[in-house]
Amino acid sequence: MRVLGIETSCDETGVAIYDSEAGLMGDALYSQVAVHAEYGGVVPELASRDHVRKLLPLVNEVLLSSGTSADQIDAVAYTAGPGLIGALMVGASTGRAMALAWGVPAIGVHHMEGHLLAPMLEEQPPEFPFVALLVSGGHTQLVKVEGIGEYNLLGESLDDAAGEAFDKAAKMLGLDYPGGPEVARLAEKGDRKRFRFPRPMTDRPGVDFSFSGLKTFTLNTANKLKVDGVLSETDRCDIAAAFEEAVVDTLAIKCRRALQQTGFKELVIAGGVSANQRLRDRLEVMVKKERAQLFYARPRFCTDNGAMIAYAGCQRLMAGQSSDLSIQCQPRWPMDSLEPIKQK
């Protein structure tokens, strides 16, 4: 089965073609970072308009680059949620219209399921069951995964997601949007031992997260060090390093607890923050001690992309699932409400 995948949940327009036998045949991505940077965050109306402007040209680009004609597409998968409702509607309405015109089925895909399954695109994919850390700008969750659609939420952030905390820390340090990569770059030049920031909720049992207190601690530290309202470059680097260390340590501690709780020996990390090299390195050390394995997608498939939607959609379509003609998008959509599919 050859599936065209469309991702438009937030500020990146992604299109890809995945073939159940040949694998990923082509993908293209347009990022709106430059559009939203001057506002310090995503402006939903601008995001929707940019998806309208870029989506069809990207579809044509991927069809051409993969040597695929429209009559070779067997189905269309699009992100149906969670995400910004206007942005979701662009991808859903376009995907549904193309499927109707081509006479093929279409399916709405859960955005976070797409992230969770993105490591399956790699040469050495994980095998079920495993523990998944979904860590992005909007989500920080630990999930027990026993198959596609068989998800049990173990823990999640009670306030800010880790990616959101990175963005807010970046603003405090005068860095550009998106904040995660900028904080990581600044942290590379910092002294990681100068400050000891708190590791939230690690002094109590459980695998839930909280990053709002860490955000406040970071702000207070920055304010104390300002001279005439300005942070020195050294202070900025050291604060970035301390903040990144605190987030990475917290995530690693909770992941270790989740592995011990489930008894599983595979850990998957997915979502934009999973591209953070410090996090990957720390988790590699942790899983080695736990005699487990770590899996993640290549960096370009950690952030939002069409390939993960095409893959996830393909798995459900091959199991006989599809969406009806109505266009239904869900800005909020619990992943544990998804229908499981039987693995072959």
Side-chain angles (χ1 to χ4, degrees):
M1 174 174 279
R2 189 169 296 185
V3 179
L4 175 73
I6 295 172
E7 157 60 25
T8 62
S9 66
C10 191
D11 62 342
E12 286 166 317
T13 312
V15 177
I17 294 175
Y18 179 83
D19 188 286
S20 57
E21 295 184 3
L24 185 63
M25 300 187 66
D27 71 285
L29 182 71
Y30 170 73
S31 174
Q32 300 177 2
V33 167
V35 175
H36 303 288
E38 64 178 295
Y39 303 101
V42 178
V43 180
E45 179 63 22
L46 294 181
S48 301
R49 292 180 183 183
D50 229 27
H51 287 310
V52 171
R53 186 169 62 92
K54 285 293 185 177
L55 182 51
L56 287 180
L58 283 180
V59 170
N60 290 331
E61 177 184 332
V62 171
L63 288 171
L64 182 62
S65 65
S66 64
T68 302
S69 59
D71 59 5
Q72 292 176 300
I73 296 295
D74 298 310
V76 177
Y78 56 87
T79 302
L84 302 175
I85 185 61
L88 291 169
M89 287 297 293
V90 175
S93 58
T94 304
R96 166 53 65 194
M98 288 192 297
L100 189 60
W102 295 339
V104 299
I107 190 167
V109 174
H110 193 289
H111 178 73
M112 296 311 295
E113 180 172 71
H115 276 303
L116 187 152
L117 297 177
M120 299 294 186
L121 294 165
E122 302 303 317
E123 290 186 5
Q124 296 183 326
E127 295 183 359
F128 301 111
F130 55 77
V131 170
L133 171 66
L134 301 178
V135 57
S136 65
H139 298 80
T140 301
Q141 299 176 329
L142 276 165
V143 183
K144 180 181 178 182
V145 181
E146 297 188 88
I148 297 177
E150 298 181 66
Y151 309 130
N152 179 27
L153 182 65
L154 301 174
E156 62 184 337
S157 179
L158 305 180
D159 40 62
D160 292 355
E164 183 181 4
F166 265 107
D167 286 340
K168 291 179 178 178
K171 285 186 179 181
M172 298 174 198
L173 298 175
L175 299 173
D176 293 332
Y177 170 85
E182 295 298 317
V183 170
R185 278 193 282 269
L186 199 63
E188 287 298 313
K189 300 182 288 183
D191 179 355
R192 297 182 183 274
K193 296 181 179 180
R194 179 182 172 189
F195 301 113
R196 171 74 181 183
F197 283 15
R199 275 60 174 164
M201 296 183 69
T202 58
D203 59 349
R204 67 190 76 175
V207 291
D208 283 328
F209 304 89
S210 172
F211 293 104
S212 62
L214 176 60
K215 176 190 66 180
T216 301
F217 191 93
T218 304
L219 178 62
N220 290 339
T221 302
N223 287 339
K224 289 177 183 178
L225 293 171
K226 286 180 179 178
V227 177
D228 295 328
V230 178
L231 278 173
S232 70
E233 183 66 13
T234 297
D235 290 340
R236 292 170 74 240
C237 293
D238 293 348
I239 291 173
F243 176 84
E244 184 180 50
E245 286 295 289
V247 173
V248 166
D249 273 353
T250 300
L251 294 174
I253 290 168
K254 300 293 180 146
C255 285
R256 183 179 69 245
R257 290 181 184 177
L259 287 173
Q260 293 172 345
Q261 178 179 323
T262 60
F264 292 170
K265 293 300 180 182
E266 292 188 359
L267 173 66
V268 166
I269 56 172
V273 181
S274 69
N276 182 283
Q277 191 59 50
R278 192 77 176 176
L279 176 61
R280 292 185 176 193
D281 292 344
R282 188 67 51 84
L283 290 177
E284 287 285 8
V285 172
M286 183 275 290
V287 297
K288 186 176 181 180
K289 291 180 180 178
E290 295 295 321
R291 297 182 178 180
Q293 287 182 284
L294 179 67
F295 298 86
Y296 44 77
R298 70 199 82 167
R300 69 191 179 102
F301 292 152
C302 290
T303 54
D304 296 351
N305 63 88
M308 67 183 192
I309 302 303
Y311 177 85
C314 185
Q315 305 314 303
R316 290 191 171 275
L317 286 157
M318 288 193 299
Q321 297 181 17
S322 63
S323 301
D324 59 28
L325 289 175
S326 63
I327 299 173
Q328 298 181 355
C329 296
Q330 301 184 58
R332 297 183 181 276
W333 188 4
M335 199 165 68
D336 57 9
S337 69
L338 294 176
E339 181 182 351
I341 65 174
K342 295 180 180 180
Q343 299 299 307
K344 295 180 179 180

